Amino acid sequence: MIQQPDIEEVARWLRALQDGLCNAFARADTAAGFREETWTRPEGGGGRTRILREGAVFEQAGVGFSDVEGRQMPAAATARRPELAGAQWRAVGVSLVLHPCNPYVPAVHMNVRHFRATRDDVTVAWWFGGGFDLTPCYPFDEDVLHWHHTARALCAPFGGDARYVAHKRACDAYFRLPHRDETRGVGGLFFDDLNEPDFEESFAYTRAVGDALLPAYLPIVERRRATPFGEREREFQLYRRGRYVEFNLVWDRGTLFGLQSGGRTESILMSLPPRVRWEYGYLPEAGSPEARLGEYLQPRDWLGLESA
């Protein structure tokens, strides 16, 4: 028999998570705060979208909470779970994307979510998903190692290094642009369809991922926020943001699910950067800091655990 998850408990935690993240990012920025828009969805549910713009640290930061439901599963979901075609569903989640002002501060993404499918008010499937990933323009090994050590530490109570390696590899595979033959950034954690061994442990791991974002990311922000930069670095940042757009609009399942399910378009696309550029046939100068980024855009065993 399918376990009956307490989706209301998950929704309460997610709302509190959004509050805590927004408060922390506003304190880190010092110059701007979040503006909130609440919205409802005609088929059911709604959310709170919070945007910080033109701050001292973040050019744009979006942190969204959604609690939406529908009478039939969207095609983006049933493509992977055809047995759920026609089921009613409810999804709750928090998603964030931060695009910093300084090109030396990496962009960051995190999502944590819970999904439930029902027939005749009986749960027929449920799972958790989420993760976080880091996208630098000018990477520093110190920052990437801190990011991955934090990810490894949060996995310790939930299977230890085996969990970290599995979800790190899943992140490398998911956040990849096949048409560019490169990863979006330097990875992190990614998981989906998590429902084992039970609801309590799956929820606890999801909370650990959400709670680890601030200690994983804010120390990097503090190290790099005052790094001097000029027009060259800014232009490269805008160019690399183009890759972020390409991934989100071409490959991201979450974007597709949101649009197919009749979600609020502005909230779904808050992940896109406020300014971006493309340049035909661009190649960075050999040996330049910009060319060095390419060395980081293939999966790497940062902590020496994947061959163990």
Side-chain angles (χ1 to χ4, degrees):
M1 181 178 178
I2 298 290
Q3 188 178 15
Q4 303 299 304
D6 186 350
I7 198 167
E8 300 300 339
E9 180 186 3
V10 180
R12 286 192 296 272
W13 171 71
L14 288 167
R15 284 189 288 267
L17 177 66
Q18 184 194 34
D19 291 342
L21 291 168
C22 290
N23 290 338
F25 294 139
R27 287 195 300 270
D29 189 272
T30 71
F34 283 87
R35 175 174 58 88
E36 178 179 283
E37 291 185 345
T38 59
W39 52 273
T40 57
R41 181 173 168 275
E43 193 174 351
R48 310 184 304 196
T49 300
R50 295 176 180 171
I51 301 291
L52 180 155
R53 297 193 62 199
E54 299 179 354
V57 175
F58 303 114
E59 189 173 353
Q60 181 169 293
V63 185
F65 164 78
S66 62
D67 182 348
V68 295
E69 57 189 81
R71 292 183 293 274
Q72 293 215 13
M73 297 274 285
T78 57
R80 299 176 61 244
R81 303 285 293 266
E83 74 277 9
L84 297 180
Q88 296 178 308
W89 59 273
R90 182 178 172 189
V92 295
V94 162
S95 184
L96 69 84
V97 175
L98 278 62
H99 292 289
C101 303
N102 191 315
Y104 287 97
V105 179
V108 70
H109 159 262
M110 187 199 74
N111 172 267
V112 281
R113 59 192 180 273
H114 177 57
F115 193 92
R116 181 182 69 178
T118 61
R119 297 185 193 275
D120 300 320
D121 296 323
V122 176
T123 300
V124 295
W126 63 266
W127 63 84
F128 288 90
F132 50 54
D133 66 292
L134 192 70
T135 306
C137 297
Y138 294 94
F140 295 83
D141 286 8
E142 176 187 13
D143 297 344
V144 182
L145 288 169
H146 169 78
W147 180 256
H148 280 279
H149 277 299
T150 306
R152 180 190 185 189
L154 79 87
C155 292
F158 306 100
D161 288 346
R163 168 63 60 89
Y164 163 76
V165 168
H167 289 183
K168 186 265 185 190
R169 286 175 172 168
C171 186
D172 290 337
Y174 183 80
F175 292 105
R176 182 171 187 82
L177 290 80
H179 64 290
R180 299 288 191 180
D181 190 27
E182 64 185 33
T183 57
R184 186 166 79 172
V186 295
L189 299 172
F190 177 81
F191 63 101
D192 207 359
D193 299 323
L194 180 68
N195 57 14
E196 294 180 351
D198 53 30
F199 172 80
E200 286 74 20
E201 184 160 324
S202 299
F203 185 24
Y205 176 67
T206 304
R207 291 197 304 269
V209 171
D211 293 343
L213 190 277
L214 294 176
Y217 183 59
L218 288 184
I220 299 172
V221 172
E222 291 306 310
R223 277 197 292 268
R224 309 301 168 197
R225 61 185 293 170
T227 304
F229 69 93
E231 182 179 359
R232 171 177 172 164
E233 292 86 356
R234 174 61 169 169
E235 287 293 298
F236 186 63
Q237 179 193 48
L238 297 181
Y239 174 77
R240 289 304 308 178
R241 284 179 176 178
R243 296 291 205 271
Y244 215 94
V245 174
E246 290 176 22
F247 177 85
N248 281 25
L249 295 185
V250 177
W251 299 106
D252 185 52
R253 294 199 302 260
T255 301
L256 188 60
F257 176 89
L259 296 174
Q260 288 182 349
S261 63
R264 182 174 184 265
T265 302
E266 287 298 310
S267 297
I268 295 165
L269 299 182
M270 73 173 187
S271 61
L272 302 182
R275 296 176 181 84
V276 63
R277 75 180 186 93
W278 281 265
E279 180 178 334
Y280 180 82
Y282 169 79
L283 289 174
E285 181 183 350
S288 67
E290 292 76 22
R292 179 174 171 269
L293 174 63
E295 302 171 13
Y296 290 76
L297 300 182
Q298 297 297 327
R300 190 186 299 191
D301 183 5
W302 284 101
L303 304 185
L305 299 172
E306 296 183 57
S307 59

